[in-house]
Amino acid sequence: MSTARITRSSLKASNSISSTQNEATLPTRGMVTTSKPIRKRSVKNGDLPPITAPKDPATPPPSKRLKRTETVTPAQVKLMVAPYSSGDIDDATPPASPSADRPVEPHTTNATLKTPRGSKLTAYKASVRAEDISPSKAHLPPPTSTTGALLEEACAHLIRVDPRLKPVIEKHQCHVFSPAGLAEETDPFRSLVSGIMAQQVSGAAAKSIKNKFVALFDPETMVFPTPEKVAEAEIPFLRTAGLSQRKAEYVKGLAEKFASGELSAKMLIEADYEEVIEKLTAVRGLGLWSVEMFACFALKRMDVFSTGDLGVQRGMAALDGKDIKKLKAKGGGKFKYMSEKEMLEKAEKFAPYR
């Protein structure tokens, strides 16, 4: 968890996780199917068109009603405590041997990013020292920790700021920023495409679509296609993998940005958090919540605080002593548990591990 994730997992652990998303509004990613009635909503950047129920003169019984899929948070799908959690939807191969001494910094991308051509990039070389970085030439702040110490330092900071978090942190170990978690490698293009495929469908359906998608380009070795190959493909061809028209457009548009160099592993390593958010949310099909989750779980950035995440809102309200059940029943829109302004103010003390 960063405070972004550490605080979030801690807060959620003290507040029923399973009930959190059962009443969430539809975000930009979906993996779990619920039986909540379908509602129309406006289309915003990064969202798919609203799903509407077929017009029928009679309301079908509950067992016959259409089901819609809703996005659950990564904590709920156990990414934070799974033996292996990458930015991909179906990776299950952990790195061989995690390093405990690679330099890292909580404000930067701490993951090892893979390029489409097979090279690997990290924010800092394994042998770099903070005093060796020239301030006039540095694209990044000097490293302040290592992969072996980062999580321990983050937990100590959180407990120092709010001792109430200690038993929760000790009970719910964070995998994402552990040495093993930080040793995981992420292919940004593959991860983001996987996320688009997972919108509004179950995890099993997303995996099936992804396998068909890869097979379109490399049925023999099943190697994920490069951005260039996807950018050159026609929409009808991409749709044969099971993608909707809109999703095919999203995937192709994302591929074009990576192929042109507008997006790259290098940019995601060197950019500050605000630039990462700005660049990625400008891509059709990637909403703010999705990019925040990608920044935390795939890029391993620690200071990510998703105010729009319902679980974070409920956890913040619970930690503040509010009656969650009453607030839920009362309603009040997107921030019915706590205002965004109040959330940001209360979370500031946990930086840079939010």
Side-chain angles (χ1 to χ4, degrees):
M1 316 171 203
S2 57
T3 302
R5 279 324 104 202
I6 296 169
T7 300
R8 170 189 182 165
S9 177
S10 302
L11 297 176
K12 284 187 176 182
S14 61
N15 186 42
S16 175
I17 291 178
S18 62
S19 64
T20 295
Q21 292 298 326
N22 286 338
E23 55 113 18
T25 53
L26 185 63
T28 56
R29 295 291 177 274
M31 292 183 185
V32 172
T33 302
T34 73
S35 57
K36 190 175 178 181
I38 298 169
R39 294 179 297 180
K40 293 184 178 181
R41 63 188 180 87
S42 59
V43 179
K44 298 181 180 179
N45 181 42
D47 290 337
L48 292 174
I51 305 172
T52 56
K55 295 181 179 179
D56 195 307
T59 302
S63 61
K64 299 296 184 180
R65 290 177 186 171
L66 293 177
K67 293 183 178 181
R68 77 170 183 176
T69 52
E70 294 186 344
T71 303
V72 296
T73 64
Q76 285 187 284
V77 293
K78 300 183 179 178
L79 286 179
M80 299 192 78
V81 293
Y84 181 61
S85 61
S86 75
D88 254 327
I89 60 173
D90 61 354
D91 262 349
T93 306
S97 56
S99 169
D101 58 1
R102 177 165 62 85
V104 291
E105 212 285 330
H107 296 92
T108 65
T109 292
N110 292 306
T112 296
L113 301 188
K114 296 189 291 187
T115 71
R117 287 152 193 82
S119 60
K120 300 176 183 180
L121 301 177
T122 57
Y124 309 102
K125 295 181 180 179
S127 59
V128 73
R129 297 179 303 173
E131 56 268 30
D132 293 334
I133 300 178
S134 170
S136 62
K137 297 181 179 180
H139 295 289
L140 300 167
T144 58
S145 186
T146 63
T147 50
L150 186 62
L151 179 59
E152 183 178 343
E153 293 169 355
C155 290
H157 175 77
L158 299 183
I159 294 170
R160 185 168 56 251
V161 170
D162 193 331
R164 292 177 297 170
L165 295 177
K166 182 177 181 179
V168 183
I169 289 174
E170 291 177 345
K171 182 178 179 180
H172 301 277
Q173 297 298 308
C174 172
H175 169 74
V176 177
F177 297 103
S178 68
L182 291 172
E184 295 165 0
E185 299 172 350
T186 297
D187 178 338
F189 175 65
R190 178 179 176 180
S191 296
L192 290 168
V193 169
S194 298
I196 290 174
M197 291 177 178
Q199 291 179 15
Q200 296 180 296
V201 298
S202 69
K207 184 174 182 178
S208 176
I209 293 171
K210 181 177 180 179
N211 288 339
K212 293 176 183 177
F213 177 81
V214 175
L216 291 178
F217 298 89
D218 193 345
E220 296 297 326
T221 62
M222 292 296 287
V223 174
F224 202 86
T226 63
E228 289 78 10
K229 286 184 178 180
V230 179
E232 292 171 356
E234 298 295 333
I235 296 296
F237 176 73
L238 297 178
R239 291 198 62 187
T240 60
L243 294 170
S244 65
Q245 174 74 19
R246 187 64 61 87
K247 283 188 181 181
E249 293 173 358
Y250 290 166
V251 169
K252 183 176 174 65
L254 177 65
E256 290 170 346
K257 287 186 179 292
F258 270 94
S260 69
E262 183 177 345
L263 295 177
S264 67
K266 184 175 184 294
M267 184 279 290
L268 294 171
I269 287 283
E270 296 182 349
D272 59 27
Y273 180 66
E274 288 71 23
E275 184 179 357
V276 169
I277 296 297
E278 180 183 359
K279 290 280 190 180
L280 293 181
T281 53
V283 180
R284 291 181 65 217
L286 296 178
L288 178 59
W289 184 90
S290 303
V291 174
E292 289 171 336
M293 298 303 104
F294 172 76
C296 178
F297 291 93
L299 300 184
K300 314 289 186 183
R301 300 187 76 108
M302 298 202 82
D303 201 27
V304 179
F305 186 62
S306 180
T307 59
D309 186 286
L310 186 61
V312 174
Q313 294 176 18
R314 287 168 61 94
M316 289 286 291
L319 187 65
D320 201 43
K322 298 181 184 296
D323 189 322
I324 301 301
K325 291 184 178 180
K326 286 186 178 180
L327 291 173
K328 177 181 177 181
K330 182 179 179 180
K334 183 177 180 180
F335 293 100
K336 61 184 174 184
Y337 295 104
M338 183 178 287
S339 71
E340 183 173 31
K341 181 176 182 294
E342 188 177 2
M343 289 175 68
L344 290 171
E345 290 174 350
K346 291 182 178 295
E348 181 62 31
K349 61 185 178 183
F350 293 108
Y353 306 105
R354 289 178 294 177

